[in-house]
Amino acid sequence: MLRGSVTKRMPCSSWCPTRGPLAGHRASRKGFQCEAARADFIHIATHAVFREDNPMFSAFKLADGWMSVLDLYGLTCEANLVALSGCSSGMHQVAGADDLLGLVRGFLYAGARSLLLSLWPVNDESTSQLMKIFYTRWTGGMSKAAAMQRACQEVRSTFSHPFFWAPFVLIGKTLIFF
């Protein structure tokens, strides 16, 4: 079990749609690939790394190894939303003709319609609070963009520094409702 993963995963039970979480040994590369192909919503609460030397090897940690950008290229993932609440999951490098290289590109290439990612290291407590508010608002009828705005505003009332409430960015089709 990754340090901090339990803290990040626990609130999910109150707002996750029907399927239970892939946790422990079930959170494997194969398990993720199977679920990603049929899920409408994916939340990944684990460690992520951005490889500045080779962004195509940027990855997030699963129970049996890392899932890299190159792995995502072979994945089918047509989820409405993929959220990676781990540290720096949205880091990317701009190359060539304004191509983004990193997990963002991998998930978009796999077919994800929108992504919720962090641009810097995150705090477990404020991230948990932000995610719970975001999902409550989104599943309650707000667009993803409006739900994220509201979540940031509410977390800001408890944690005033932007480090705590502003690390996340929505990418893709953000006006889609749940």
Side-chain angles (χ1 to χ4, degrees):
M1 182 67 58
L2 297 170
R3 183 182 171 149
S5 294
V6 173
T7 306
K8 292 177 196 167
R9 192 181 74 240
M10 294 305 257
C12 295
S13 61
S14 65
W15 45 255
C16 273
T18 56
R19 280 204 176 97
L22 289 179
H25 70 281
R26 290 187 57 229
S28 65
R29 292 168 45 85
K30 185 173 183 158
F32 176 77
Q33 290 168 337
C34 290
E35 288 297 318
R38 59 185 180 194
D40 185 52
F41 160 84
I42 300 169
H43 185 99
I44 303 164
T46 188
H47 298 292
V49 294
F50 174 69
R51 291 273 309 269
E52 202 169 321
D53 63 320
N54 190 340
M56 299 305 278
F57 290 113
S58 298
F60 58 92
K61 181 83 168 115
L62 293 170
D64 61 347
W66 293 88
M67 180 69 69
S68 73
V69 173
L70 291 174
D71 295 326
L72 294 175
Y73 274 25
L75 187 73
T76 298
C77 175
E78 296 180 5
N80 182 3
L81 175 67
V82 176
L84 285 94
S85 61
C87 296
S88 307
S89 57
M91 293 293 296
H92 57 270
Q93 189 176 81
V94 179
D98 295 332
D99 288 331
L100 297 178
L101 301 179
L103 292 171
V104 171
R105 181 178 178 154
F107 274 108
L108 292 175
Y109 185 87
R113 290 188 290 277
S114 62
L115 306 169
L116 177 58
L117 308 133
S118 66
L119 297 177
W120 56 77
V122 296
N123 172 273
D124 283 351
E125 185 180 349
S126 60
T127 297
S128 177
Q129 183 180 344
L130 186 134
M131 291 298 163
K132 183 175 182 176
I133 295 166
F134 168 76
Y135 287 117
T136 300
R137 301 290 186 216
W138 180 46
T139 59
M142 288 182 148
S143 69
K144 288 176 265 189
M148 191 60 181
Q149 180 182 17
R150 180 68 60 87
C152 289
Q153 289 169 339
E154 290 186 36
V155 170
R156 188 176 181 184
S157 69
T158 305
F159 300 93
S160 62
H161 195 281
F163 171 83
F164 298 100
W165 57 265
F168 292 95
V169 61
L170 276 167
I171 296 171
K173 297 181 180 178
T174 61
L175 296 177
I176 297 173
F177 297 86
F178 186 74

